[in-house]
Amino acid sequence: MNIELRQLRYFVAVAEELHFGKAADRLHMTQPPLSQAIQTLEDMLGTLLFIRSRRAVALTPAGEALLPEARRMLAQAAELPGLVTRAAGGESGRLALAFVSSADYSVLPPFLRNYRAAFPQVQIVLQEATSDVQVDDLLRERVDAGLIIPPLPEKAEGVLDYLKVLDEPLILAAPAGLDGLGKPGAVWLKDLPRIPLIIFPRPIAPALHDAILAVFRAAGITPQIGQEAIQMQTIVSLVSAGMGLALVPQSVSNLMRPGVEYRALHDPTPLVETGLAWRRDNPSPVLQGFLDLLRKNI
């Protein structure tokens, strides 16, 4: 059975007018082919849709059941061109976006606000993950893009593109009241007591791990690594519990925890970079729309 949209339009017109002549005028056709089309539809369905008499036309129970479904199918068909156009222009669809935990306190919220305002019909699927996990997911086409801490590994060269979106200094996260903090303001690492360092495992974020240790080496300090954690929230929670101190990207100071003080450092610190990575061969219009908007806002 191949019911055509044309037949449904004819049926709805007659059902709403309850008059074949008026329905034919509405459809800009003559009555005989309209009557024939309805008869053909009834034959296909194996039941009468209308009760016909010389004085009136009325819907049968089958016709009453078909009418709302026919209207729904015609409405859906009318929406198809717009749906296809929006999808082709990146205005609808799905964007799978991964992000490192530090991005949640810096670039991610404003990016999402801007993107949601510009593309309200796109479904955004968010996934928090470390940079190494994101790279694997990108290579396996599990996500469309990821906010990572560079550099990209060699296996990703030639496959992923990358755009820097943020540079920020490292700052100190220390247990509140720690000796050496003194009055509010920047501090020197050498003035702090030798308590354990809480840090990312090197395999997870080698660039950030090495940058943090380089700051201590430049200060003439060999830190004792007390705990390793892969999420910024966990690192800050461990600091709050008095388990040690940490150096974190400046934006992490937006993560407030009781018992944690954030301080700038007098010690020279490298800038921690965050950027967006995506597959070079990803043809998604949704991704392209995200990238275009991102470039305008950085």
Side-chain angles (χ1 to χ4, degrees):
M1 184 184 298
N2 295 312
I3 297 176
E4 299 177 3
L5 290 176
R6 172 183 58 86
Q7 293 172 299
L8 294 179
R9 283 195 295 270
Y10 291 175
F11 165 74
V12 170
V14 176
E16 291 177 348
E17 299 293 343
L18 292 178
H19 191 285
F20 277 83
K22 291 180 180 179
D25 290 341
R26 171 173 156 181
L27 294 167
H28 307 291
M29 63 188 299
T30 58
Q31 184 173 335
L34 174 59
S35 298
Q36 181 60 48
I38 296 298
Q39 179 65 58
T40 300
L41 179 60
E42 289 176 324
D43 291 344
M44 293 175 66
L45 294 172
T47 186
L48 290 177
L49 300 173
F50 296 99
I51 300 171
R52 303 161 176 85
S53 70
R54 289 186 177 183
R55 293 185 177 182
V57 175
L59 283 165
T60 65
E64 290 178 351
L66 176 60
L67 181 57
E69 294 303 313
R71 285 171 171 158
R72 179 182 60 81
M73 287 186 281
L74 290 172
Q76 288 178 336
E79 292 175 358
L80 287 177
L83 184 150
V84 171
T85 299
R86 290 192 298 273
E91 297 176 17
S92 67
R94 179 179 182 273
L95 178 71
L97 178 65
F99 61 95
V100 291
S101 57
S102 58
D104 197 18
Y105 308 105
S106 56
V107 295
L108 184 63
F111 284 175
L112 291 180
R113 281 195 298 271
N114 292 337
Y115 186 70
R116 174 60 68 195
F119 299 96
Q121 296 187 40
V122 172
Q123 177 193 6
I124 304 172
V125 180
L126 296 173
Q127 173 185 320
E128 183 176 346
T130 54
S131 298
D132 59 326
V133 171
Q134 289 190 52
V135 168
D136 284 340
D137 284 346
L138 285 166
L139 294 177
R140 296 172 183 268
E141 303 183 51
R142 292 172 178 165
V143 295
D144 295 305
L147 286 163
I148 69 169
I149 295 175
L152 292 172
E154 290 185 8
K155 65 180 180 180
E157 292 179 3
V159 179
L160 303 185
D161 276 338
Y162 175 82
L163 175 67
K164 181 173 75 172
V165 297
L166 176 69
D167 271 332
E168 56 182 331
L170 290 168
I171 63 170
L172 174 71
L178 182 70
D179 290 344
L181 291 180
K183 60 182 180 180
V187 297
W188 291 97
L189 285 176
K190 63 180 177 60
D191 293 334
L192 300 177
R194 300 296 183 263
I195 66 173
L197 173 66
I198 304 167
I199 193 171
F200 281 95
R202 192 176 189 281
I204 297 297
L208 182 57
H209 182 99
D210 292 348
I212 290 170
L213 293 185
V215 174
F216 281 91
R217 284 197 300 271
I221 300 169
T222 301
Q224 172 198 352
I225 296 178
Q227 298 285 334
E228 292 185 335
I230 66 173
Q231 302 293 347
M232 285 295 177
Q233 302 96 314
T234 305
I235 289 175
V236 173
S237 293
L238 291 171
V239 172
S240 174
M243 301 292 289
L245 55 77
L247 298 189
V248 297
Q250 185 177 52
S251 58
V252 176
S253 63
N254 293 318
L255 172 58
M256 304 304 297
R257 285 284 191 277
V260 177
E261 286 192 46
Y262 295 104
R263 294 290 187 90
L265 292 169
H266 288 304
D267 303 84
T269 63
L271 294 177
V272 178
E273 182 177 318
T274 303
L276 188 79
W278 67 95
R279 284 187 67 95
R280 189 170 302 161
D281 61 358
N282 189 337
S284 166
V286 171
L287 174 61
Q288 190 57 55
F290 181 78
L291 292 173
D292 290 344
L293 187 65
L294 180 61
R295 291 186 178 105
K296 293 177 183 177
N297 287 277
I298 60 174

